[in-house]
Amino acid sequence: MRAVIPTPATRAVPPGRTGPAAGGPWHLHADPALAPVERTVRELLTPHLGPLPPAGDGSAAGPLLRLTLDAPPPAPLTTVGIAPDGAPAPVDESYGLSVDATGITCRARTPAGVFRAATTALQLIALADGGALEAQEITDAPRYAWRGLLLDPARSFVPPQQLRRLIDLAALYKLNVLHLHLTDNEGWRVDTPSVPSLTPRPASGPDTFYSAEEYTALQEYAARRYITLFPEIDLPGHCAALRAAVPGLPAAPAPPGVEGRFPYVPPLDLADPRTRETVRGILADVCALTTGPFVHIGCDEAVGITDESFTDAVRELRAMVRELGKRPVAWQESARAGVTEDDIAQFWVDPEMMDLPASEEELGLRPDLLDAGFTGEFLGALRRFFAPSAHDVERVLAGGGRLLLSPQSHLYLDRRYAPEVVPADRAADAARLGFPSYRPRDVRHTAGWDPASHGIPDDRVAGVEATLFGESLQDFDDLTTLLLPRLAPLAGTAWSGRPADWETHRHALARHGRLWRERGLVHFPATEVPWS
């Protein structure tokens, strides 16, 4: 059965050998040093197999899933990028996996590698159609050390229990970073003791932010799945929630002719002493809560700020985070404030990706934009605003920094599904979900993204991160509808470093609908996938 995603680097089928009966009942056994991994694997398998009995408990005989620390055969990939746990070199996640008549053996040099092998074993077991598993030998290793997913609880809050379900999903596809966009105009979603007015307790109903205890527990939950939680406090723009909680913060200086012409929230002025003190207190709270080494400072779409004020703000935010013991990451616009070898910029856009009409005639051919209220004047302002993005990657490379790849053209999952792949009974969802100014695309478009297409040298790539912003989301099912099936092929590309062959991949992807259903996750049944 060849439905595993990411596709393993090497797979050999020994002639004349068969694997175990797929139906089990399966038993789980791990080396003593892997007891924490065993507990987590048991939790991940439960939705598919029910509670697993331990090996040797005297119950009926069945196949065995073994987890062992042992050197696997070398995998043919070399890992590149930044280690999300802050280590000088990426952790060894390479693994070997063997399927024979007695069961499945997962082996690796490190617990992280054993865990990655176990997620492959889980897919083999959960996606089997009865009968016997195929005997096989697998070796595998990741191409990119940083393989992330951004979620946006700022605009559409994701309660802790639902977030745990998404952490499990990310782990099943070998992602190792969960980037939480915690603040924006629409909300502030993390406990901030220095400014308690940011997270008031509701008069009734549950909190819509993560308390310090919940945030810590989420980090621990993710860490048991070898995932690093990565917080974002988006400044100096995207700050309406902060302005509402702390009235009177002055606006940053605006360029001539911009103020009052277009609707935007004035960015913060980091030259103002009160603003600077408030922001430093917030970042101190978040850095103290965060166990991982990175904190994202935003720096995107700061509409209505002069170049000089933006440069000062970026430099001030970077310096604060470094003084607080963390390493700053920012969106690509931050490169306009200068770049050093220690800087990481998240690449998300260039003028071509914005895909904006260049004339009134072209606008007339885009009903999606007309329906969203776009005018020729507004489009002209957008084109001028995004014009500098054409050179952001050059700025990062020239300064010696690294790029976290999140191109909006393919890795932004808050994009509508193309009409030609929408089933009739899901037309309403397809029309409602997704950012209105992005051209709708099919799953094949997303799955075909090649990291090498941007021409960025491997040694300058920090990693790969898909994003799902929450402007159009109403509930958890909306979130997973946009996420699935597109997350799976992107996770495969982040692991292997290249896109899978679509014709092969779409048949593999079809099997995963069953896995998502067993986990209670709603997905979008795009018609280009032959769903099982």
Side-chain angles (χ1 to χ4, degrees):
M1 204 278 291
R2 305 187 182 189
V4 171
I5 301 173
T7 304
T10 69
R11 178 178 179 273
V13 179
R17 288 167 54 185
T18 60
W26 285 81
H27 298 254
L28 182 60
H29 173 75
D31 293 352
L34 294 172
V37 175
E38 179 186 2
R39 287 193 292 271
T40 303
V41 171
R42 193 178 295 278
E43 292 172 7
L44 288 174
L45 275 165
T46 296
H48 310 287
L49 297 179
L52 287 182
D57 71 343
S59 61
L64 186 63
L65 176 57
R66 307 175 188 86
L67 310 178
T68 185
L69 287 170
D70 190 14
L77 293 177
T78 301
T79 302
V80 298
I82 297 289
D85 63 357
V91 66
D92 184 355
E93 297 176 272
S94 64
Y95 70 86
L97 182 147
S98 303
V99 182
D100 61 25
T102 66
I104 301 176
T105 299
C106 301
R107 59 192 185 280
R109 298 178 185 87
T110 65
V114 173
F115 181 75
R116 303 301 177 214
T119 62
T120 296
L122 183 152
Q123 291 190 30
L124 287 171
I125 296 167
L127 299 178
D129 287 327
L133 291 178
E134 193 173 26
Q136 55 195 289
E137 296 281 345
I138 286 172
T139 62
D140 205 4
R143 179 58 174 164
Y144 293 108
W146 183 306
R147 307 176 303 278
L149 169 65
L150 179 152
L151 296 175
D152 179 16
R155 295 185 177 92
S156 179
F157 184 63
V158 185
Q161 193 52 43
Q162 293 179 355
L163 198 55
R164 287 180 172 85
R165 295 173 66 190
L166 297 173
I167 290 170
D168 286 348
L169 178 69
L172 292 180
Y173 291 106
K174 299 180 173 60
L175 298 177
N176 64 351
V177 174
L178 182 65
H179 176 167
L180 293 181
H181 185 78
L182 291 168
T183 74
D184 214 296
N185 294 325
E186 294 82 355
W188 195 280
R189 307 302 184 188
V190 64
D191 201 7
T192 313
S194 66
V195 188
S197 55
L198 281 166
T199 51
R201 300 281 179 178
S204 61
D207 291 342
T208 55
F209 66 92
Y210 306 116
S211 68
E213 295 76 16
E214 287 168 338
Y215 185 78
T216 298
L218 285 168
Q219 290 180 101
E220 293 170 350
Y221 187 89
R224 291 195 294 273
R225 286 142 181 81
Y226 296 91
I227 291 174
T228 299
L229 205 97
F230 172 40
E232 179 180 354
I233 306 298
D234 196 355
L235 301 171
H238 291 271
C239 59
L242 176 55
R243 288 194 170 283
V246 187
L249 297 179
V258 171
E259 192 170 8
R261 289 191 62 201
F262 302 103
Y264 66 89
V265 177
L268 299 176
D269 181 7
L270 269 293
D272 171 64
R274 181 175 173 233
T275 301
R276 198 163 52 245
E277 180 182 1
T278 300
V279 169
R280 183 177 178 83
I282 289 168
L283 291 176
D285 291 338
V286 173
C287 288
L289 272 178
T290 300
T291 56
F294 297 99
V295 170
H296 203 297
I297 55 174
C299 303
D300 64 313
E301 298 179 323
V303 180
I305 190 172
T306 63
D307 292 345
E308 180 181 5
S309 182
F310 179 71
T311 295
D312 291 344
V314 172
R315 292 177 178 174
E316 187 69 40
L317 292 167
R318 285 174 178 164
M320 287 179 182
V321 169
R322 289 187 173 116
E323 289 167 7
L324 293 165
K326 300 297 182 181
R327 187 171 175 183
V329 180
W331 294 102
Q332 68 183 66
E333 292 96 319
S334 62
R336 301 168 205 173
V339 176
T340 70
E341 293 181 359
D342 195 43
D343 287 316
I344 301 173
Q346 191 161 4
F347 167 50
W348 72 280
V349 73
D350 60 30
E352 183 178 355
M353 281 185 215
M354 286 304 297
D355 194 21
L356 296 173
S359 65
E360 292 284 354
E361 291 75 18
E362 289 185 13
L363 176 59
L365 300 175
R366 292 287 300 275
D368 52 329
L369 299 183
L370 291 171
D371 291 345
F374 281 63
T375 65
E377 182 188 21
F378 183 56
L379 285 169
L382 282 177
R383 286 194 299 271
R384 290 190 297 273
F385 180 75
F386 283 104
S389 67
H391 303 290
D392 286 337
V393 169
E394 297 170 28
R395 294 181 180 99
V396 176
L397 296 179
R402 297 229 202 175
L403 289 148
L404 182 59
L405 305 183
S406 299
Q408 175 250 86
S409 57
H410 293 80
L411 271 66
Y412 270 45
L413 303 183
D414 52 325
R415 179 183 293 276
R416 292 176 178 174
Y417 291 95
E420 59 268 22
V421 302
V422 174
D425 62 344
R426 300 299 294 274
D429 284 341
R432 177 175 60 86
L433 294 174
F435 199 64
S437 67
Y438 296 161
R439 191 186 295 272
R441 297 290 188 185
D442 56 20
V443 178
R444 181 175 187 169
H445 172 83
T446 302
W449 176 67
D450 186 348
S453 65
H454 305 285
I456 299 169
D458 274 345
D459 65 345
R460 310 302 293 281
V461 174
V464 171
E465 193 170 281
T467 78
L468 178 49
F469 288 98
E471 288 94 339
S472 66
L473 305 181
Q474 297 178 6
D475 55 30
F476 185 69
D477 287 349
D478 283 354
L479 192 161
T480 62
T481 295
L482 285 179
L483 199 63
L484 299 171
R486 296 181 289 194
L487 179 67
L490 288 179
T493 299
W495 176 269
S496 67
R498 59 189 181 277
D501 171 74
W502 173 245
E503 284 305 314
T504 301
H505 182 77
R506 72 188 189 97
H507 288 280
L509 194 58
R511 307 291 291 276
H512 284 248
R514 170 181 168 182
L515 186 149
W516 305 327
R517 288 192 298 273
E518 289 178 351
R519 305 193 74 83
L521 301 174
V522 174
H523 71 279
F524 188 80
T527 58
E528 66 203 299
V529 177
W531 300 103
S532 301

